[in-house]
Amino acid sequence: AHPHNGEAAKHDTVERLSHLLSEHEVIFALGNGTASRETENVLREAMKKASGRGCYAVVDEAGASVYSATELAAKELPNLDVTHRGAVSLARRLMDPMSELVKVGPQSLGVGLYQHDVDQKRLEEELTGVTQCCVTAVGCDANRASPELLRYVAGLTP
């Protein structure tokens, strides 16, 4: 669906989404990047047309495009192109943010304006430490966690 390619495309998108909403329980993960407000309006229109069914959540897109172009993303989602991998990553962030965010290098998450002006090795060590603290605080299901998440679990790494 390409709702931003004119009124006809917007109308078609609203129709398709409202049909989807009338048949299924849907939660949309809406990225906060380019055209997010316009897309939000299209979603609201489709939900209204579907008698208020469905909902959406705005998800931070930081690093999603970086992840979608990685070898890991290609391995996890081999049948999808880069754009669709990014969309899957946003949906996964909505379901389990920690598991998805650990797949993106901390520098790609926008850790600060001057991140390139500091010692990169120390920055990496500090960010890894903070990530480990977050994973420890949040916890994870070791039976379902990805190898990328498990590397931050205290006691499981060398």
Side-chain angles (χ1 to χ4, degrees):
H2 301 280
H4 311 300
N5 291 343
E7 276 305 308
K10 178 184 172 186
H11 176 75
D12 179 57
T13 300
V14 168
E15 289 297 318
R16 291 170 64 190
L17 290 175
S18 63
H19 178 72
L20 176 74
L21 288 165
S22 67
E23 293 188 358
H24 305 280
E25 292 293 324
V26 180
I27 300 173
F28 294 96
L30 174 61
N32 66 344
T34 306
S36 64
R37 293 287 181 224
E38 295 85 351
T39 305
E40 183 176 19
N41 291 336
V42 169
L43 282 175
R44 285 183 179 179
E45 192 175 328
M47 290 184 325
K48 184 177 180 180
K49 186 170 183 151
S51 302
R53 292 184 56 142
C55 63
Y56 67 92
V58 178
V59 180
D60 188 359
E61 288 187 9
S65 62
V66 173
Y67 161 76
S68 64
T70 65
E71 188 176 313
L72 174 61
K75 183 179 171 187
E76 288 183 340
L77 305 164
N79 298 324
L80 299 180
D81 66 22
V82 174
T83 303
H84 290 105
R85 288 183 204 144
V88 170
S89 180
L90 291 180
R92 286 177 176 173
R93 286 181 186 198
L94 180 59
M95 295 186 305
D96 188 355
M98 185 67 72
S99 292
E100 197 62 18
L101 289 171
V102 296
K103 297 176 186 177
V104 180
Q107 291 87 346
S108 299
L109 295 175
V111 294
L113 185 60
Y114 301 105
Q115 71 187 40
H116 302 291
D117 295 341
V118 298
D119 180 309
Q120 294 300 299
K121 183 177 181 201
R122 180 158 181 220
L123 177 63
E124 181 68 30
E125 290 169 356
E126 293 295 328
L127 291 172
T128 298
V130 169
T131 304
Q132 287 173 333
C133 287
C134 290
V135 170
T136 299
V138 171
C140 71
D141 180 345
N143 293 315
R144 294 182 45 208
S146 68
E148 293 74 33
L149 181 61
L150 290 174
R151 70 178 244 222
Y152 292 105
V153 174
L156 294 183
T157 56

